[in-house]
Amino acid sequence: MSNNISKIGVFTSGGDAPGMNAAIRAVVRASIYYGKEVYGIMRGYEGMIDDEIVKLGSRSVGNILQRGGTILKTARSEAFRTREGREKAYQNLQRNGIDALVAIGGDGTFTGLTKFYDEFKIPSICIPGTIDNDLAGTDYTIGYDTATNTAVEAIDKIRDTAMSHNRLFFIEVMGRHSGYIALHCGIAGGAVVTIIPEEDMTMEQLFSKLDEGGKTNRKSSMVVVAEGSKLGGAMELANRFSARNNYFDIKVTILGHLQRGGSPTYFDRVLASKMGIAAVEGLLNGKQGYMVGIQNNHIVYNDFHTIINHRHEIDSESLRIAKILSI
Ligand code: F6P
């Protein structure tokens, strides 16, 4: 293991995701286990630029495993996009003696760190933490399982009222440009149609599928719409379908940020724990400029450039299943 690293800085950046705290805890404890000092950088790149850096010990990360959000706070930093901002961040790291970084976040975080790593060569490794599950090089990102479970729970509740009133609901879920959350909560929540950015669907195809429901005496229905849908958001689709539908009473629910909060599922806690340890071990074994991932239940490492230049393809088997089940 590398003896050149003595102080590891850990931070969370971009949208928070349930399980980030479990990942911080694993990074801190693994660093200490291997005899390294560990520092928390507050508010992601913003705190790196503003020199908000605190020493962490094993007890600083006690009682956080089960909590949503991130104790290190997070931000989307405009300043870090500039060379000036990144230089300031580098100087602060040097002044604090931090000689390696573990970043927990999504594609914006990785893109920023790739640039920083290329410019300043500070040993760095990333852990994928985002509800969107949109990163190449890993089957799952931390937070995706919890967010999808939260969405399914919401859909189940909406179904009760939809069934009681004979209503058609358009439910919009998060995921940015990715349809992962929508596709899987559509299957688990029994949606009649799931609209995702990765699949082309015309307005006519959507409408005729919904008309079919009217003709076959479907009393209530749920359409799940990914926020990145190219056909339009839930509100727009509901308005357009209302104009021609005389069968269903139509309602819209946009789940929004409630999908980002809450206690992480067991799956996300275990995933975060494995990835946090793998990040520190990888870093100390020379995996610098890499992202930790999990593929076929095994920890893998992929270099930053491979990750940011590829996308996480949608799972075609899930697409097939969703179609069969929605007749
Ligand atoms: O990347 C996570 C995510 O929740 C996306 O699903 C969503 O599009 C975006 O962040 C929302 O970002 P913000 O919280 O900055 O509005």
Side-chain angles (χ1 to χ4, degrees), residues 14-17 76 106-107 129-134 173-178 181 227-228 256-257 259-260:
D16 61 302
R76 301 193 193 277
D107 60 349
T130 165
I131 64 166
D132 300 339
N133 205 27
D134 58 346
V173 298
M174 275 188 168
R176 205 182 286 273
H177 306 300
S178 162
I181 297 179
E227 68 174 346
H257 286 82
Q259 294 155 98
R260 285 241 295 261

Side-chain angles (χ1 to χ4, degrees), residues 169-173 195 203 206-207 223-227 229 231-243 250-255:
F169 270 83
F170 286 81
I171 302 167
E172 187 173 305
V173 298
I195 303 168
M203 206 59 91
L206 169 65
F207 289 171
V223 175
V224 171
V225 186
E227 68 174 346
S229 144
L231 211 51
M235 192 60 86
E236 186 189 339
L237 295 178
N239 285 337
R240 293 187 64 172
F241 188 60
S242 295
I250 297 176
K251 297 282 173 186
V252 174
T253 303
I254 297 174
L255 295 184

Side-chain angles (χ1 to χ4, degrees), residues 4-197:
N4 304 331
I5 293 175
S6 58
K7 289 187 185 181
I8 298 176
V10 57
F11 63 96
T12 48
S13 167
D16 61 302
M20 278 183 163
N21 281 329
I24 295 166
R25 172 179 178 267
V27 169
V28 169
R29 295 202 172 159
S31 302
I32 294 168
Y33 180 85
Y34 288 112
K36 310 296 172 189
E37 282 184 50
V38 58
Y39 289 79
I41 301 165
M42 303 302 294
R43 298 188 301 115
Y45 296 118
E46 286 288 281
M48 212 181 276
I49 292 169
D50 294 343
D51 200 16
E52 282 180 54
I53 298 175
V54 291
K55 180 140 198 241
L56 298 172
S58 332
R59 297 285 79 78
S60 349
V61 290
N63 202 24
I64 65 167
L65 175 68
Q66 77 286 10
R67 283 167 55 193
T70 158
I71 59 158
L72 295 179
K73 309 280 180 106
T74 185
R76 301 193 193 277
S77 174
E78 280 308 313
F80 198 74
R81 292 178 194 273
T82 66
R83 172 80 195 188
E84 198 191 345
R86 292 192 296 276
E87 262 168 17
K88 209 164 163 211
Y90 182 66
Q91 281 156 18
N92 286 333
L93 294 178
Q94 283 213 307
R95 200 177 29 258
N96 285 282
I98 292 174
D99 46 20
L101 290 175
V102 179
I104 307 166
D107 60 349
T109 306
F110 294 1
T111 307
L113 194 59
T114 303
K115 204 158 190 117
F116 195 57
Y117 177 72
D118 288 347
E119 283 169 350
F120 299 100
K121 305 281 175 269
I122 176 158
S124 304
I125 197 158
C126 284
I127 298 175
T130 165
I131 64 166
D132 300 339
N133 205 27
D134 58 346
L135 293 165
T138 190
D139 295 339
Y140 298 103
T141 56
I142 296 167
Y144 163 69
D145 184 67
T146 307
T148 308
N149 273 297
T150 301
V152 170
E153 207 182 312
I155 292 171
D156 288 349
K157 287 181 174 155
I158 293 168
R159 180 179 284 284
D160 290 345
T161 175
M163 187 270 292
S164 306
H165 284 264
N166 288 356
R167 281 174 171 161
L168 164 64
F169 270 83
F170 286 81
I171 302 167
E172 187 173 305
V173 298
M174 275 188 168
R176 205 182 286 273
H177 306 300
S178 162
Y180 260 98
I181 297 179
L183 179 58
H184 286 130
C185 74
I187 293 173
V192 64
V193 185
T194 302
I195 303 168
I196 58 171

